């Protein structure tokens, strides 16, 4: 009896880990309908049953919302588009690739574009996509894009910011790193190249200092680190006020 329930629980958990909640739920219903269940196994079955039921309810509500409104939301205002992205991220994107491909193949908001590409990267989408960036068509395979903070330029920018502020001003470094990560994501489907690392780091410092209304502090920073001859880069964060 014990080995039987051990095997059943393993099968149910396997289905759930593979997001086959309906199959797991049917097994749970069958087992809980039995006239006798060992107490320990019954408790585990009930816990899994409640978890499955909650997940299936959430999926049902999400599917009905997507079927009716997902496209409308995606092409709506920024708040609606962000809601659509959240719904898509929590779904199987392979079921919505036509919608995503149609949306991306235009000059779309940089934040929504980045979030959609990131979602496709997470789900290992292996379908070629196209998008328009500054009037140029860009083609890419989401599963081939390197994680943004592993790109050579992003690593260099992060290391440079740490060298400048890790001991001098850790709280300022935290703000810079948060801004750096956001900026790197906004460049998707491109990664930050190695020769962009230093200009990006300088631009991030400028961006955070400006947000703090401390441009005098930025000028002092430039002199302190002998960066007068170095140029920063235009950030998406600043350009689009994200």
């Amino acid at each position: 009896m014990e080995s039987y329930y051990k095997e059943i629980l393993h099968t149910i958990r396997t289905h759930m880990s593979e997001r086959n909640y309906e199959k797991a739920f049917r097994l749970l219903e069958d087992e809980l309908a039995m006239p006798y269940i060992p107490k320990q196994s019954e408790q585990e079955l009930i816990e899994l049953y409640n978890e499955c039921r909650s997940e299936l309810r959430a999926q049902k509500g999400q599917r009905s919302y997507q079927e009716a409104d997902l496209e409308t939301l995606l092409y709506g205002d920024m708040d609606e588009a962000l809601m659509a992205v959240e719904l898509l991220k929590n779904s199987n994107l392979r079921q919505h690739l036509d919608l995503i491909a149609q949306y991306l193949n235009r000059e779309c908001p940089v934040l929504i574009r980045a979030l959609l590409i990131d979602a496709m990267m997470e789900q290992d989408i292996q379908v070629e996509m196209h998008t328009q960036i500054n009037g140029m068509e860009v083609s890419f395979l989401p599963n081939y894009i390197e994680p943004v903070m592993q790109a050579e330029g992003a690593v260099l920018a992060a290391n440079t910011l740490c060298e400048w502020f890790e001991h001098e001003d850790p709280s300022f470094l935290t703000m810079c790193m948060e801004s750096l990560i956001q900026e790197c994501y906004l460049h998707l489907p491109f990664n930050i190249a190695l020769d962009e690392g230093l200009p990006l780091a300088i631009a991030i410092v400028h961006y955070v200092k400006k947000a703090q209304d401390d441009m005098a502090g930025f000028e002092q920073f430039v002199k302190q680190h002998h960066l007068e001859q170095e140029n920063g880069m235009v950030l998406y964060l600043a350009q689009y006020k994200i």
Side-chain angles (χ1 to χ4, degrees), residues 153-201:
V155 171
L156 176 59
N159 289 342
T160 303
L161 289 168
C162 287
E163 289 175 11
W164 288 337
F165 301 110
E166 189 170 18
H167 301 295
E168 179 181 326
D169 194 342
S171 61
F172 183 80
L173 173 62
T174 298
M175 289 184 282
C176 285
M177 293 300 290
E178 290 173 353
S179 299
L180 173 65
I181 293 169
Q182 293 171 15
E183 179 68 20
C184 289
Y185 272 101
L186 292 174
H187 282 257
L188 287 172
F190 300 116
N191 287 122
I192 304 299
L194 184 60
D195 61 359
E196 296 176 309
L198 179 59
L200 176 57

Side-chain angles (χ1 to χ4, degrees), residues 31-149:
E31 292 304 319
L32 288 169
M34 294 294 177
Y36 171 76
I37 307 170
K39 188 171 183 60
Q40 178 61 37
S41 299
E42 182 180 31
Q43 183 60 39
E44 292 183 65
L45 287 167
I46 290 171
E47 290 175 1
L48 294 173
Y49 177 87
N50 290 332
E51 184 180 341
C52 262
R53 183 174 60 179
S54 296
E55 180 64 30
L56 287 170
R57 283 177 175 174
Q59 288 182 2
K60 182 179 179 181
Q62 187 181 77
R63 280 198 296 269
S64 62
Y65 197 91
Q66 289 175 343
E67 288 163 5
D69 303 308
L70 188 53
E71 184 173 356
T72 301
L73 283 173
L74 192 57
Y75 284 90
D77 62 25
M78 183 59 70
D79 287 339
E80 291 172 327
L82 288 170
M83 187 183 303
V85 170
E86 192 62 29
L87 288 167
L88 284 165
K89 284 174 62 178
N90 293 320
S91 72
N92 182 349
L93 290 183
R94 289 166 179 80
Q95 298 175 359
H96 305 286
L97 289 181
D98 288 344
L99 172 62
I100 295 171
Q102 179 183 349
Y103 181 83
L104 287 177
N105 197 14
R106 54 195 276 273
E107 289 281 355
C108 50
V110 63
L111 176 59
I112 304 302
R113 180 179 69 216
L115 291 172
L116 286 173
I117 295 173
D118 180 51
M120 289 191 289
M121 290 166 62
E122 285 188 0
Q123 294 197 23
D124 196 35
I125 299 299
Q126 302 176 26
V127 176
E128 185 175 65
M129 289 283 167
H130 309 275
T131 192
Q132 303 289 327
I133 300 178
N134 299 325
M136 177 179 67
E137 180 173 314
V138 176
S139 301
F140 61 94
L141 284 166
N143 65 312
Y144 271 86
I145 300 174
E146 186 176 25
V148 294
M149 293 310 295

Side-chain angles (χ1 to χ4, degrees), residues 211-230:
Q212 295 178 332
D213 196 22
D214 185 20
M215 292 310 296
F218 177 72
E219 296 300 330
Q220 181 180 354
F221 155 80
V222 168
K223 291 179 181 177
Q224 177 185 350
H225 294 279
H226 310 291
L227 298 170
E228 292 89 348
Q229 304 303 314
E230 299 289 345

